[in-house]
Amino acid sequence: MAEKKTKSFILRVDSDTMDAIEAWAADEFRSTNGQLQWIITEALRKARRLPKQKKKTNDTEGEV
């Protein structure tokens, strides 16, 4: 399986927003970084902005 590449970047967020994200992350048992990744991915998914993923095929499917 191909490894996903990640990119790092600096994000400036006001303290009230960061407090809310940290609390939400704790409620979901995620790290703050993981919560931010989830929020961004969900927003992209809902906006239909994520690249389409290739469907996995099973080479042995249908063989007898």
Side-chain angles (χ1 to χ4, degrees):
M1 183 191 290
E3 230 180 275
K4 285 188 176 182
K5 293 182 181 179
T6 60
K7 293 184 179 184
S8 298
F9 68 98
I10 296 172
L11 176 65
R12 290 179 180 88
V13 180
D14 66 81
S15 62
D16 289 339
T17 300
M18 193 63 187
D19 290 344
I21 292 168
E22 289 170 339
W24 190 7
D27 291 345
E28 300 285 329
F29 302 105
R30 290 189 179 107
S31 66
T32 302
N33 188 65
Q35 189 69 19
L36 286 165
Q37 288 177 325
W38 180 84
I39 291 166
I40 293 166
T41 300
E42 282 299 297
L44 290 168
R45 185 186 61 77
K46 287 178 182 177
R48 299 179 186 259
R49 295 288 186 156
L50 286 176
K52 293 188 179 192
Q53 295 179 353
K54 295 179 182 177
K55 291 184 180 179
K56 293 182 182 179
T57 59
N58 189 348
D59 293 336
T60 60
E61 192 173 298
E63 291 182 12
V64 179

Coordinates of all heavy atoms in Angstrom, one line a residue:
M1 N 0.9 -1.2 0.0 CA 0.0 0.0 0.0 C 0.9 1.2 0.0 O 1.9 1.3 0.7 CB -0.9 0.0 1.2 CG -1.9 1.2 1.2 SD -2.8 1.5 2.7 CE -3.9 0.1 2.8
A2 N 0.5 2.2 -0.8 CA 1.3 3.4 -0.9 C 1.1 4.3 0.4 O 0.0 4.3 0.9 CB 0.9 4.3 -2.1
E3 N 2.2 4.9 0.8 CA 2.1 5.7 2.0 C 1.6 7.1 1.7 O 2.0 7.6 0.7 CB 3.5 5.8 2.6 CG 3.6 5.5 4.1 CD 5.0 5.6 4.6 OE1 5.7 4.6 4.5 OE2 5.4 6.7 5.1
K4 N 0.8 7.6 2.5 CA 0.3 9.0 2.3 C 1.4 10.0 2.7 O 2.0 9.8 3.8 CB -1.0 9.3 3.1 CG -2.2 8.7 2.5 CD -3.4 9.2 3.2 CE -4.7 8.7 2.6 NZ -5.9 9.2 3.2
K5 N 1.7 11.0 1.9 CA 2.6 12.0 2.3 C 1.9 13.1 3.0 O 0.8 13.4 2.7 CB 3.3 12.5 1.0 CG 4.2 11.5 0.3 CD 4.8 12.1 -0.9 CE 5.7 11.1 -1.6 NZ 6.4 11.7 -2.7
T6 N 2.5 13.6 4.0 CA 1.9 14.7 4.8 C 2.9 15.9 4.6 O 4.1 15.8 4.5 CB 1.8 14.4 6.3 OG1 3.0 14.1 6.8 CG2 0.8 13.2 6.5
K7 N 2.2 17.1 4.7 CA 3.0 18.4 4.7 C 2.7 19.1 5.9 O 1.6 19.1 6.4 CB 2.5 19.2 3.5 CG 2.9 18.6 2.1 CD 2.5 19.5 1.0 CE 2.9 19.0 -0.3 NZ 2.6 19.9 -1.4
S8 N 3.7 19.7 6.4 CA 3.6 20.6 7.7 C 3.4 22.0 7.3 O 3.9 22.5 6.3 CB 4.8 20.4 8.5 OG 5.0 19.1 8.9
F9 N 2.7 22.7 8.1 CA 2.5 24.2 7.9 C 2.1 24.8 9.2 O 1.7 24.1 10.1 CB 1.5 24.5 6.8 CG 0.1 24.1 7.2 CD1 -0.8 25.1 7.7 CD2 -0.4 22.8 7.1 CE1 -2.1 24.8 8.1 CE2 -1.7 22.5 7.4 CZ -2.6 23.5 7.9
I10 N 2.3 26.1 9.3 CA 2.0 26.8 10.5 C 0.6 27.4 10.3 O 0.2 28.0 9.3 CB 3.0 28.0 10.7 CG1 4.4 27.4 11.0 CG2 2.6 28.9 11.9 CD1 5.5 28.4 11.1
L11 N -0.2 27.3 11.4 CA -1.6 27.8 11.4 C -1.8 28.7 12.6 O -1.5 28.3 13.7 CB -2.6 26.6 11.5 CG -4.0 26.9 11.5 CD1 -4.5 27.6 10.3 CD2 -4.8 25.7 11.8
R12 N -2.2 29.9 12.3 CA -2.5 30.8 13.4 C -4.0 30.8 13.7 O -4.8 31.0 12.8 CB -2.0 32.2 13.0 CG -0.5 32.3 13.0 CD -0.1 33.7 12.6 NE 1.4 33.8 12.5 CZ 2.1 33.5 11.4 NH1 1.5 33.1 10.3 NH2 3.4 33.6 11.5
V13 N -4.3 30.6 14.9 CA -5.7 30.5 15.3 C -5.9 31.3 16.6 O -5.0 31.2 17.5 CB -6.1 29.0 15.6 CG1 -7.6 28.9 16.0 CG2 -5.9 28.2 14.3
D14 N -7.0 32.0 16.7 CA -7.2 32.8 18.0 C -7.4 31.8 19.1 O -7.8 30.7 18.9 CB -8.3 33.8 17.8 CG -9.7 33.1 17.7 OD1 -10.2 32.7 18.7 OD2 -10.1 33.0 16.5
S15 N -7.1 32.3 20.3 CA -7.1 31.4 21.5 C -8.5 30.8 21.8 O -8.6 29.6 22.2 CB -6.6 32.1 22.7 OG -7.4 33.2 23.1
D16 N -9.6 31.5 21.6 CA -10.9 31.0 21.8 C -11.2 29.8 20.9 O -11.7 28.8 21.3 CB -12.0 32.1 21.7 CG -12.0 33.1 22.8 OD1 -11.4 32.8 23.9 OD2 -12.5 34.2 22.6
T17 N -10.8 30.0 19.6 CA -11.0 28.9 18.6 C -10.2 27.7 19.0 O -10.7 26.6 18.9 CB -10.7 29.4 17.2 OG1 -11.5 30.5 16.9 CG2 -10.9 28.3 16.2
M18 N -8.9 28.0 19.4 CA -8.0 26.8 19.7 C -8.6 26.1 20.9 O -8.5 24.9 21.0 CB -6.6 27.4 19.9 CG -5.6 26.3 20.0 SD -5.5 25.4 18.4 CE -4.4 24.1 18.8
D19 N -9.1 26.8 21.9 CA -9.6 26.2 23.1 C -10.8 25.3 22.7 O -10.9 24.2 23.2 CB -10.1 27.3 24.1 CG -8.9 28.0 24.8 OD1 -7.8 27.5 24.7 OD2 -9.2 29.1 25.4
A20 N -11.6 25.8 21.8 CA -12.8 25.0 21.4 C -12.3 23.7 20.6 O -12.9 22.6 20.8 CB -13.7 25.8 20.5
I21 N -11.3 23.9 19.8 CA -10.8 22.7 19.0 C -10.2 21.7 20.0 O -10.4 20.5 19.8 CB -9.8 23.2 18.0 CG1 -10.5 24.0 16.9 CG2 -9.0 22.0 17.4 CD1 -9.5 24.7 15.9
E22 N -9.4 22.2 21.0 CA -8.8 21.3 21.9 C -9.9 20.5 22.7 O -9.7 19.3 23.0 CB -7.9 22.0 22.8 CG -6.6 22.5 22.1 CD -5.8 23.4 23.0 OE1 -6.3 24.1 23.9 OE2 -4.6 23.6 22.6
A23 N -10.9 21.2 23.1 CA -12.0 20.6 23.9 C -12.7 19.5 23.0 O -13.0 18.4 23.5 CB -13.0 21.6 24.4
W24 N -13.0 19.9 21.8 CA -13.6 19.0 20.9 C -12.8 17.7 20.6 O -13.3 16.6 20.6 CB -13.9 19.7 19.6 CG -14.8 19.0 18.6 CD1 -15.5 17.8 18.7 CD2 -15.1 19.4 17.2 NE1 -16.2 17.5 17.6 CE2 -15.9 18.5 16.7 CE3 -14.7 20.5 16.5 CZ2 -16.4 18.6 15.4 CZ3 -15.2 20.6 15.2 CH2 -16.0 19.7 14.6
A25 N -11.5 18.0 20.5 CA -10.5 16.8 20.3 C -10.6 15.9 21.5 O -10.6 14.7 21.3 CB -9.1 17.4 20.0
A26 N -10.6 16.5 22.7 CA -10.6 15.6 23.9 C -11.9 14.8 23.9 O -11.9 13.7 24.3 CB -10.4 16.5 25.1
D27 N -13.0 15.5 23.6 CA -14.3 14.8 23.6 C -14.3 13.6 22.6 O -15.0 12.6 22.8 CB -15.4 15.7 23.2 CG -15.7 16.8 24.3 OD1 -15.2 16.6 25.4 OD2 -16.4 17.8 23.9
E28 N -13.6 13.7 21.5 CA -13.5 12.7 20.5 C -12.3 11.7 20.6 O -12.1 10.9 19.8 CB -13.4 13.4 19.1 CG -14.6 14.3 18.7 CD -15.9 13.5 18.4 OE1 -15.8 12.4 17.8 OE2 -17.0 14.0 18.7
F29 N -11.6 11.9 21.7 CA -10.4 11.1 22.0 C -9.4 11.2 20.8 O -8.8 10.2 20.4 CB -10.8 9.6 22.2 CG -11.7 9.5 23.4 CD1 -13.0 9.2 23.2 CD2 -11.2 9.6 24.7 CE1 -13.9 9.1 24.2 CE2 -12.1 9.5 25.8 CZ -13.5 9.2 25.5
R30 N -9.2 12.4 20.3 CA -8.2 12.7 19.3 C -7.2 13.7 19.8 O -7.5 14.4 20.7 CB -8.9 13.3 18.0 CG -9.8 12.4 17.2 CD -10.2 13.0 15.9 NE -11.0 12.2 15.1 CZ -12.3 12.4 15.0 NH1 -12.9 13.4 15.5 NH2 -13.0 11.5 14.2
S31 N -6.0 13.7 19.1 CA -5.1 14.8 19.4 C -5.7 16.0 18.7 O -6.5 16.0 17.8 CB -3.7 14.4 18.8 OG -3.8 14.4 17.3
T32 N -5.1 17.2 19.1 CA -5.6 18.4 18.5 C -5.2 18.4 17.0 O -6.1 18.8 16.2 CB -4.9 19.6 19.1 OG1 -5.2 19.6 20.5 CG2 -5.3 20.9 18.6
N33 N -4.1 17.9 16.6 CA -3.7 17.8 15.2 C -4.6 16.9 14.5 O -5.1 17.2 13.4 CB -2.2 17.3 15.1 CG -1.8 17.4 13.7 OD1 -1.6 18.4 13.1 ND2 -1.5 16.2 13.1
G34 N -4.9 15.7 15.1 CA -5.9 14.8 14.5 C -7.3 15.4 14.3 O -7.9 15.2 13.3
Q35 N -7.7 16.2 15.2 CA -9.0 16.8 15.1 C -9.0 17.8 14.0 O -10.0 17.9 13.2 CB -9.4 17.5 16.5 CG -10.8 18.0 16.5 CD -11.8 16.9 16.5 OE1 -11.5 15.8 16.9 NE2 -13.0 17.3 16.2
L36 N -7.9 18.6 13.9 CA -7.9 19.6 12.8 C -7.9 18.9 11.4 O -8.5 19.3 10.5 CB -6.6 20.5 12.9 CG -6.7 21.5 14.0 CD1 -5.3 22.1 14.4 CD2 -7.7 22.6 13.6
Q37 N -7.1 17.8 11.3 CA -7.1 17.0 10.1 C -8.5 16.5 9.8 O -9.0 16.6 8.6 CB -6.1 15.8 10.2 CG -4.7 16.3 10.1 CD -3.8 15.1 10.3 OE1 -4.0 14.2 11.0 NE2 -2.6 15.2 9.6
W38 N -9.2 16.0 10.8 CA -10.6 15.5 10.6 C -11.5 16.6 10.1 O -12.3 16.4 9.2 CB -11.1 14.9 11.9 CG -12.5 14.3 11.7 CD1 -12.8 13.1 11.2 CD2 -13.7 15.0 12.1 NE1 -14.2 13.0 11.3 CE2 -14.7 14.1 11.8 CE3 -14.0 16.2 12.7 CZ2 -16.1 14.4 12.0 CZ3 -15.3 16.5 12.9 CH2 -16.3 15.7 12.6
I39 N -11.4 17.8 10.8 CA -12.3 18.9 10.4 C -12.1 19.3 9.0 O -13.0 19.5 8.2 CB -12.0 20.1 11.4 CG1 -12.5 19.8 12.8 CG2 -12.7 21.4 10.8 CD1 -12.0 20.8 13.9
I40 N -10.8 19.4 8.6 CA -10.5 19.8 7.2 C -11.0 18.8 6.2 O -11.6 19.1 5.2 CB -9.0 20.1 7.1 CG1 -8.6 21.3 7.9 CG2 -8.6 20.2 5.6 CD1 -7.1 21.5 8.1
T41 N -10.7 17.5 6.5 CA -11.2 16.4 5.6 C -12.7 16.4 5.5 O -13.2 16.2 4.4 CB -10.7 15.0 6.1 OG1 -9.2 15.1 6.2 CG2 -11.1 13.9 5.2
E42 N -13.4 16.6 6.6 CA -14.9 16.6 6.5 C -15.4 17.8 5.7 O -16.3 17.6 4.9 CB -15.5 16.6 7.9 CG -15.5 15.3 8.6 CD -16.3 14.2 7.9 OE1 -17.5 14.4 7.7 OE2 -15.7 13.2 7.4
A43 N -14.8 18.9 5.9 CA -15.2 20.1 5.1 C -14.9 19.9 3.6 O -15.8 20.2 2.8 CB -14.4 21.3 5.6
L44 N -13.8 19.3 3.3 CA -13.5 19.0 1.9 C -14.4 17.9 1.3 O -14.9 18.1 0.1 CB -12.0 18.5 1.7 CG -11.0 19.6 2.0 CD1 -9.6 18.9 2.1 CD2 -11.0 20.6 0.8
R45 N -14.7 16.9 2.1 CA -15.7 15.9 1.6 C -17.0 16.5 1.4 O -17.6 16.2 0.3 CB -15.7 14.8 2.7 CG -16.6 13.6 2.2 CD -16.8 12.6 3.4 NE -17.5 13.1 4.5 CZ -18.8 13.3 4.6 NH1 -19.6 13.0 3.6 NH2 -19.3 13.8 5.7
K46 N -17.5 17.3 2.3 CA -18.9 17.9 2.1 C -18.9 18.8 0.9 O -20.0 18.9 0.3 CB -19.3 18.6 3.4 CG -19.7 17.6 4.5 CD -20.0 18.3 5.8 CE -20.3 17.4 6.9 NZ -20.6 18.0 8.2
A47 N -17.8 19.5 0.6 CA -17.8 20.4 -0.5 C -17.4 19.7 -1.8 O -17.3 20.3 -2.8 CB -16.7 21.5 -0.2
R48 N -17.3 18.4 -1.7 CA -16.9 17.5 -2.8 C -15.6 18.0 -3.5 O -15.5 18.1 -4.7 CB -18.0 17.4 -3.9 CG -19.3 16.8 -3.3 CD -20.4 16.8 -4.3 NE -21.6 16.3 -3.7 CZ -22.1 15.1 -3.9 NH1 -21.4 14.2 -4.6 NH2 -23.2 14.8 -3.3
R49 N -14.6 18.3 -2.6 CA -13.3 18.8 -3.1 C -12.2 17.8 -3.0 O -11.1 18.1 -3.4 CB -12.9 20.1 -2.3 CG -13.8 21.2 -2.5 CD -13.6 21.8 -3.9 NE -14.4 23.0 -4.1 CZ -14.1 23.9 -4.9 NH1 -13.0 23.8 -5.7 NH2 -14.8 25.0 -5.0
L50 N -12.5 16.7 -2.4 CA -11.4 15.6 -2.2 C -11.3 14.9 -3.6 O -12.3 14.7 -4.3 CB -11.8 14.6 -1.2 CG -11.7 15.0 0.3 CD1 -12.2 13.9 1.2 CD2 -10.3 15.3 0.6
P51 N -10.0 14.5 -3.9 CA -9.9 13.7 -5.1 C -10.6 12.4 -5.0 O -10.7 11.8 -3.9 CB -8.4 13.6 -5.2 CG -7.8 14.1 -4.0 CD -8.8 14.8 -3.2
K52 N -11.1 11.9 -6.1 CA -11.8 10.6 -6.1 C -10.8 9.5 -5.8 O -9.7 9.5 -6.4 CB -12.5 10.4 -7.4 CG -13.7 11.3 -7.6 CD -14.5 11.0 -8.8 CE -15.6 12.0 -8.9 NZ -16.6 11.5 -9.8
Q53 N -11.2 8.6 -4.9 CA -10.3 7.5 -4.6 C -10.6 6.3 -5.5 O -11.8 6.1 -5.8 CB -10.5 7.1 -3.1 CG -10.1 8.2 -2.1 CD -10.3 7.7 -0.7 OE1 -10.9 6.7 -0.4 NE2 -9.8 8.5 0.2
K54 N -9.6 5.6 -5.9 CA -9.8 4.5 -6.7 C -10.4 3.3 -5.9 O -10.0 3.1 -4.7 CB -8.4 4.0 -7.3 CG -7.8 5.0 -8.3 CD -6.5 4.5 -8.8 CE -5.9 5.6 -9.7 NZ -4.5 5.1 -10.1
K55 N -11.3 2.6 -6.5 CA -11.9 1.5 -5.8 C -10.9 0.4 -5.8 O -10.3 0.1 -6.8 CB -13.2 1.1 -6.4 CG -14.3 2.1 -6.3 CD -15.6 1.6 -6.9 CE -16.7 2.6 -6.7 NZ -18.0 2.1 -7.2
K56 N -10.9 -0.3 -4.6 CA -10.0 -1.5 -4.5 C -10.7 -2.7 -5.2 O -11.9 -2.9 -5.0 CB -9.7 -1.8 -3.1 CG -8.9 -0.8 -2.3 CD -8.6 -1.2 -0.9 CE -7.8 -0.2 -0.2 NZ -7.6 -0.6 1.2
T57 N -10.0 -3.4 -6.0 CA -10.5 -4.6 -6.6 C -9.9 -5.8 -6.1 O -8.7 -5.8 -5.8 CB -10.4 -4.5 -8.2 OG1 -9.0 -4.4 -8.5 CG2 -11.1 -3.4 -8.8
N58 N -10.6 -6.8 -6.0 CA -10.1 -8.1 -5.5 C -9.8 -9.0 -6.7 O -10.8 -9.4 -7.3 CB -11.1 -8.7 -4.5 CG -10.5 -9.9 -3.8 OD1 -9.4 -10.4 -4.2 ND2 -11.1 -10.4 -2.7
D59 N -8.6 -9.3 -7.0 CA -8.3 -10.1 -8.2 C -8.9 -11.5 -8.1 O -9.1 -12.1 -9.2 CB -6.7 -10.2 -8.3 CG -6.1 -8.9 -8.7 OD1 -6.8 -8.0 -9.2 OD2 -4.9 -8.7 -8.4
T60 N -9.1 -12.0 -6.9 CA -9.7 -13.4 -6.8 C -11.2 -13.4 -6.8 O -11.8 -14.4 -6.7 CB -9.1 -14.1 -5.6 OG1 -9.5 -13.3 -4.4 CG2 -7.6 -14.2 -5.6
E61 N -11.8 -12.2 -6.8 CA -13.2 -12.1 -6.7 C -13.9 -12.8 -7.9 O -13.5 -12.5 -9.1 CB -13.6 -10.6 -6.7 CG -15.1 -10.4 -6.3 CD -15.4 -9.0 -6.1 OE1 -14.8 -8.4 -5.1 OE2 -16.3 -8.5 -6.8
G62 N -14.8 -13.6 -7.7 CA -15.6 -14.3 -8.8 C -14.9 -15.5 -9.2 O -15.5 -16.3 -10.1
E63 N -13.7 -15.9 -8.8 CA -13.0 -17.1 -9.2 C -13.6 -18.3 -8.4 O -14.0 -18.1 -7.2 CB -11.5 -17.0 -9.0 CG -10.9 -16.0 -9.9 CD -9.4 -16.0 -9.7 OE1 -8.8 -16.9 -9.0 OE2 -8.7 -15.1 -10.3
V64 N -13.7 -19.4 -9.0 CA -14.2 -20.6 -8.3 C -13.0 -21.6 -8.2 O -12.2 -21.8 -9.0 CB -15.3 -21.2 -9.1 CG1 -15.8 -22.5 -8.4 CG2 -16.4 -20.2 -9.3

